[in-house]
C-alpha cells in the first residue's frame, strides 16, 4: 500500500486494505454500472464488505467490533471502497457516524441497545438526520449556535417527544436507527441542541418518497423524514445540554474529513481508467498517452491526487493526536477538515473533467469497467457474494488478513493463500504512470515512427511534402 506512504504503518491495517482493494477490483468494478440503480447489486457487493468486517470496524471488541479508530486508517478504507463506488463507501461510513455521539458520550444504554446489531453479519444501516427544509445544512454552521434548528424535542415525563421534519438525510426510510439533531429550546442556542436516537418503526415516524437523484440512487437513499409526536425514552438522548453540541461538532468534523477520501477515490478510479484507455488508443503512430500533451495532462491529474491525499492524511494524523491538536470538533481541526474536503472535491472535479477530455465521447458513456486476467474482459472470478452465504469465497473478518487471492482466471475459481511477506500493491499506478510521463516527455514513443515512416509523419517533417525543416522554420514553399 505504497499509495498511503508512512501514514499507515500497522501491518494488520495494511493487510485489511489489500483485501478491500482486491475485493473492490474483483467484485465491485464488474458491476459498478449497476450500482446506481440496482438495489440487488448493491446488497450483493455490500454484503461482501460486511463479511470482511467493514460494517463493524468502528465498534469496540466488547460488542464484536474491530475497534478501528485511527483516522488515517478510516480514511484509507474510505478511499479504497470509494474507488469502486462512492455510494457504497458512504453507506459504510454512516453506520459509525450515526453512533458516534452515543459512543462519545459513553451512553451505555444507547450503546448496548444499538451497537450489537451493527456487529452482526446482516446488512444494517444508520442515519444521522441533520438537514432541514428551511436552512438545509446550515444547521452545521457554528455561527448559528443551533438557533435555526426547527425540529423540536420536548421532555414529557420519562420520554422525549419529537416533532419536525428533516430533508435529504442518507439512509432515510431504510435505517435501523436514526440520530436526530433537534432542539429543546431554540433560544437556548448550543445548550438547546439535542442528539436523540429514534429506532426504526417508532410510532409517528414516517418518510417521503426517495429523491430521484442524478446518481447514487440505490447505494445512498435520500428522503424526507417526518416526526409526528415521536416518543422515545429520555435515556435515548446522547449526552445533555452543551455536551450534545460538542458531540455534534465532532460529527461534522469527521464527516468533512472522510468526505475527502470518499471524493478522491472517484478521482483515483478515473485516473486508472484513463491510463488504461489512452494506452490502447492511437494517433500519429503511437498511443495517446505517449504524446507529450496527453502525458502532461495525465501527470497533472496524478500530481493533484497525490497532493490532495497527502493533505487529508496530514489532517487525519492530527485527528489521531488530540493531545497536541485538540478535539476534532474544535475550530482548529474542523477548519482543516473542511479545507481537506474542499481540496479533494476540487481535485476530483478537475480529474474527472480531464478524463472526459482524454476519452472524448467514451468518457461520457455509463459503462462497467471489468478486469481482465486472461486478456479478455470477463466478470468476477469469484461469483456472487451474498450476505451470510456459507459458500462465499471471500474471508470473514476473522480470517487472517495476511493473505492474497490466487487462482481465478477463466476457470472462475480461486482461493485465499497465506502471504505474510506480501509487498505488492495491486491497485497502485505509480510505476505505470511514471512510464507514461517518461515516454511522453522523452518521445520514446517516436521509435515506432522511425521504424515505420510510412505509418506516421516523422518529427520535424511537413505533412504535405515530407521535407525536413529546422526548428521554427516555415514551409519551404512559403
Amino acid at each position: 500500500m505504497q499509495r498511503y506512504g508512512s501514514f499507515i504503518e500497522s501491518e494488520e491495517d495494511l493487510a485489511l486494505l489489500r483485501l478491500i482493494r482486491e475485493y473492490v477490483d474483483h467484485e465491485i468494478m464488474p458491476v459498478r454500472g449497476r450500482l446506481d440503480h440496482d438495489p440487488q447489486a448493491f446488497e450483493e457487493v455490500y454484503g461482501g464488505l460486511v463479511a470482511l468486517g467493514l460494517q463493524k470496524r468502528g465498534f469496540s471488541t466488547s460488542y464484536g467490533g474491530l475497534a478501528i479508530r485511527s483516522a488515517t486508517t478510516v480514511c484509507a478504507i474510505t478511499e479504497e471502497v470509494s474507488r469502486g463506488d462512492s455510494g457504497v463507501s458512504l453507506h459504510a461510513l454512516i453506520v459509525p457516524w450515526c453512533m458516534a455521539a452515543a459512543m462519545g458520550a459513553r451512553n451505555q444504554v444507547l450503546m448496548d441497545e444499538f451497537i450489537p446489531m451493527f456487529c452482526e453479519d446482516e446488512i444494517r444501516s444508520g442515519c444521522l438526520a441533520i438537514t432541514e427544509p428551511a436552512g438545509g445544512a446550515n444547521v452545521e454552521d457554528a455561527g448559528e449556535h443551533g438557533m435555526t434548528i426547527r425540529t423540536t424535542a420536548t421532555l414529557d415525563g420519562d420520554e422525549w417527544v419529537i416533532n419536525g421534519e428533516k430533508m435529504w438525510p442518507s439512509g432515510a426510510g431504510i435505517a435501523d436507527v436514526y440520530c436526530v439533531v433537534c432542539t429543546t429550546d431554540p433560544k437556548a442556542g448550543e445548550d438547546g441542541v439535542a442528539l436523540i436516537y429514534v429506532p426504526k418503526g417508532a410510532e409517528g415516524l414516517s418518510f417521503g418518497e426517495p429523491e430521484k437523484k442524478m446518481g447514487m440512487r440505490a447505494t445512498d437513499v435520500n428522503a424526507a423524514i417526518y416526526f409526528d409526536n415521536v416518543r422515545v425514552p429520555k435515556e435515548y438522548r446522547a449526552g445533555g445540554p452543551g455536551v450534545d453540541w460538542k458531540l455534534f461538532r465532532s460529527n461534522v468534523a469527521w464527516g468533512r474529513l472522510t468526505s475527502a477520501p470518499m471524493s478522491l477515490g472517484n478521482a483515483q478510479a478515473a485516473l486508472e481508467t484513463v491510463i488504461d484507455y489512452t494506452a490502447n488508443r492511437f494517433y500519429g503512430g503511437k498511443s495517446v498517452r505517449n504524446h507529450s500533451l496527453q502525458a502532461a495532462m495525465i501527470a497533472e491529474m496524478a500530481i493533484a491526487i497525490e497532493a490532495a491525499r497527502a493533505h487529508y492524511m496530514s489532517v487525519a494524523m492530527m485527528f489521531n493526536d488530540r493531545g497536541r491538536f485538540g478535539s476534532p470538533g474544535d475550530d482548529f481541526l474542523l477548519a482543516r477538515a473542511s479545507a481537506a474536503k474542499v481540496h479533494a472535491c476540487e481535485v476530483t472535479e478537475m480529474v474527472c473533467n480531464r478524463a472526459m477530455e482524454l476519452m472524448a465521447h467514451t468518457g461520457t458513456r455509463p459503462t462497467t469497467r471489468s478486469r481482465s486476467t486472461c486478456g479478455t474482459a470477463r466478470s468476477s472470478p469469484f461469483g456472487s457474494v451474498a450476505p451470510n452465504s456459507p459458500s462465499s469465497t471471500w474471508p470473514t473478518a476473522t480470517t487472517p488478513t495476511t493473505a492474497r487471492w490466487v487462482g481465478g482466471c477463466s476457470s472462475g475459481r480461486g482461493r485465499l493463500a497465506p502471504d505474510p511477506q506480501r509487498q505488492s500493491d495491486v491497485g497502485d499506478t505509480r510505476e505505470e504512470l511514471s512510464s507514461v510521463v517518461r515516454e511522453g516527455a522523452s518521445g520514446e514513443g517516436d521509435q515506432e515512427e522511425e521504424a515505420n515512416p510510412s505509418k506516421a509523419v516523422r518529427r520535424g517533417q511537413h505533412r504535405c511534402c515530407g521535407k525536413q525543416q529546422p526548428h521554427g522554420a516555415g514551409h519551404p514553399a512559403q
Side-chain angles (χ1 to χ4, degrees):
M1 282 291 160
Q2 296 174 340
R3 175 176 301 166
Y4 302 105
S6 59
F7 289 111
I8 308 293
E9 295 184 339
S10 165
E11 284 301 321
E12 187 175 7
D13 289 352
L14 289 169
L16 176 61
L17 287 169
R18 290 188 188 105
L19 275 180
I20 291 174
R21 181 175 294 180
E22 290 191 3
Y23 183 85
V24 168
D25 283 340
H26 296 291
E27 293 294 336
I28 297 183
M29 292 298 189
V31 299
R32 188 161 59 170
R34 292 170 49 201
L35 291 174
D36 218 24
H37 56 83
D38 187 346
Q40 182 179 353
F42 164 70
E43 290 181 6
E44 288 177 357
V45 299
Y46 191 73
L49 291 173
V50 170
L52 287 177
L54 200 63
Q55 183 170 267
K56 59 184 177 183
R57 56 91 180 155
F59 301 115
S60 169
T61 54
S62 63
Y63 293 105
L66 300 183
I68 297 176
R69 303 287 175 80
S70 167
T72 52
T73 302
V74 170
C75 283
I77 291 173
T78 300
E79 182 177 334
E80 289 299 320
V81 179
S82 183
R83 176 176 154 267
D85 185 88
S86 53
V88 174
S89 180
L90 177 60
H91 192 93
L93 278 171
I94 289 176
V95 168
W97 198 43
C98 167
M99 293 304 302
M103 293 187 290
R106 304 293 191 272
N107 188 317
Q108 203 65 43
V109 172
L110 287 172
M111 291 192 294
D112 291 346
E113 178 72 20
F114 297 115
I115 289 180
M117 68 177 173
F118 292 116
C119 295
E120 299 170 352
D121 290 333
E122 183 180 349
I123 294 177
R124 297 288 187 175
S125 178
C127 174
L128 180 57
I130 301 175
T131 53
E132 298 189 332
N138 288 346
V139 174
E140 298 181 11
D141 186 355
E144 296 184 356
H145 305 285
M147 292 186 292
T148 60
I149 300 174
R150 295 293 176 261
T151 302
T152 62
T154 304
L155 190 61
D156 182 16
D158 291 335
E159 294 181 318
W160 288 106
V161 182
I162 305 174
N163 285 281
E165 179 182 355
K166 295 292 184 179
M167 294 291 292
W168 288 103
S170 296
I174 65 170
D176 296 279
V177 62
Y178 299 82
C179 179
V180 186
V181 181
C182 40
T183 180
T184 59
D185 180 5
K187 296 179 181 179
E190 297 172 5
D191 287 341
V193 174
L195 303 180
I196 300 178
Y197 285 80
V198 177
K200 72 174 183 179
E203 186 176 352
L205 181 67
S206 60
F207 309 93
E209 290 292 323
E211 299 290 345
K212 295 178 174 60
K213 305 176 296 182
M214 292 180 65
M216 291 168 48
R217 292 183 292 273
T219 55
D220 177 39
V221 178
N222 301 94
I225 306 178
Y226 305 103
F227 303 90
D228 184 13
N229 292 319
V230 174
R231 289 179 172 268
V232 296
K234 68 177 182 179
E235 293 83 7
Y236 279 18
R237 180 174 182 174
V243 176
D244 285 2
W245 171 252
K246 292 180 180 179
L247 293 170
F248 177 59
R249 291 264 292 175
S250 181
N251 259 17
V252 171
W254 273 98
R256 292 181 184 177
L257 174 64
T258 52
S259 291
M262 187 171 66
S263 172
L264 208 63
N266 292 289
Q268 181 65 40
L271 175 65
E272 293 172 9
T273 301
V274 163
I275 288 176
D276 178 69
Y277 181 87
T278 56
N280 298 292
R281 296 296 185 276
F282 299 83
Y283 79 91
K286 55 185 176 181
S287 63
V288 170
R289 74 182 195 185
N290 282 341
H291 289 269
S292 297
L293 175 61
Q294 284 77 14
M297 292 174 67
I298 296 173
E300 180 185 12
M301 295 160 67
I303 292 168
I305 291 173
E306 290 286 340
R309 182 178 295 124
H311 187 173
Y312 81 66
M313 275 296 192
S314 67
V315 177
M317 288 288 286
M318 295 181 190
F319 271 50
N320 287 342
D321 191 353
R322 300 190 182 187
R324 291 180 61 191
F325 301 103
S327 168
D330 293 344
D331 289 344
F332 179 82
L333 285 183
L334 181 55
R336 278 149 185 79
S338 301
K341 171 185 175 179
V342 171
H343 185 184
C345 290
E346 289 181 347
V347 166
T348 300
E349 183 179 5
M350 180 275 288
V351 168
C352 291
N353 285 336
R354 292 285 189 276
M356 292 174 68
E357 292 173 10
L358 287 163
M359 297 178 68
H361 67 281
T362 305
T364 65
R365 187 175 61 196
T367 58
T368 300
R369 185 174 78 170
S370 60
R371 296 292 188 180
S372 175
T373 302
C374 304
T376 58
R378 58 179 178 80
S379 60
S380 165
F382 312 129
S384 173
V385 178
N388 305 317
S389 171
S391 61
S392 170
T393 53
W394 278 98
T396 65
T398 58
T399 302
T401 51
T402 53
R404 64 187 178 92
W405 193 261
V406 296
C409 197
S410 58
S411 65
R413 297 180 180 179
R415 63 184 177 85
L416 276 173
D419 191 10
Q421 302 300 322
R422 182 174 184 182
Q423 299 296 325
S424 63
D425 194 10
V426 177
D428 278 346
T429 57
R430 274 189 181 82
E431 183 177 349
E432 187 172 8
L433 177 63
S434 297
S435 174
V436 170
V437 178
R438 183 172 60 252
E439 292 175 12
S442 64
E444 290 179 15
D446 292 333
Q447 293 176 0
E448 182 181 354
E449 296 179 4
E450 296 295 336
N452 302 281
S454 62
K455 293 184 178 181
V457 179
R458 294 179 180 175
R459 188 181 301 276
Q461 289 182 338
H462 291 284
R463 290 186 176 274
C464 58
C465 62
K467 292 183 179 181
Q468 198 70 25
Q469 62 168 336
H471 181 69
H475 192 281
Q478 290 178 341

